[in-house]
Amino acid sequence: QVQLVESGGGSVQTGGSLQLSCTVSGSGSSGVSATYMAWFRQVPGKEREAVANICTACDDSATVYADSVKGRFTILQAGAIATYLQMNSLKPEDTAMYYCALSTRPLSPPSALNPSKYDYWGQGTQVTVSS
């Protein structure tokens, strides 16, 4: 059994900051070999969208960000199967449920933006930004 657990969500005003964390646990977690970890977000009635990902299997830990968060969000790797998302200069349009995801597949950077390429998901943490 593999579980991803997110934490750090909450309510902030425009311009504020939050740090989300994602840790992997469970009896099967020691056997997980992650290639990518990512953050996605979703608002009711819309598709889940990629926010940021990091190649945990790459020597350079390459990262990719959605255009809407570039320069404001930073994804960091913390150990082999944990990640943080530092979110600064938050805007009301960042309000969403944020999900952590982990893939064990060999992905290309473009495919790493596709939520269907991820094998494990957290339960989500709500981020609300008020104006």
Side-chain angles (χ1 to χ4, degrees):
Q1 184 181 11
V2 176
Q3 293 177 317
L4 273 64
V5 180
E6 303 102 334
S7 62
S11 297
V12 297
Q13 292 188 327
T14 298
S17 298
L18 286 171
Q19 186 180 76
L20 307 183
S21 64
C22 175
T23 56
V24 183
S25 62
S27 58
S29 62
S30 61
V32 173
S33 181
T35 56
Y36 273 84
M37 293 195 75
W39 290 92
F40 292 81
R41 65 187 181 188
Q42 189 170 23
V43 296
K46 293 190 176 181
E47 293 186 353
R48 192 166 294 190
E49 66 171 352
V51 175
N53 65 56
I54 184 166
C55 179
T56 56
C58 300
D59 291 339
D60 61 355
S61 298
T63 57
V64 176
Y65 296 92
D67 288 342
S68 59
V69 307
K70 281 180 182 176
R72 300 188 298 120
F73 290 11
T74 303
I75 185 170
L76 301 166
Q77 185 177 353
I81 48 175
T83 182
Y84 295 97
L85 183 69
Q86 178 65 41
M87 304 186 296
N88 298 327
S89 301
L90 283 161
K91 304 175 181 180
E93 51 263 44
D94 294 319
T95 296
M97 185 72 78
Y98 283 71
Y99 297 91
C100 176
L102 183 154
S103 180
T104 61
R105 314 177 202 186
L107 302 177
S108 64
S111 64
L113 298 172
N114 185 341
S116 71
K117 302 298 184 182
Y118 288 80
D119 305 291
Y120 301 100
W121 290 84
Q123 80 287 352
T125 185
Q126 178 68 36
V127 171
T128 302
V129 185
S130 58
S131 57

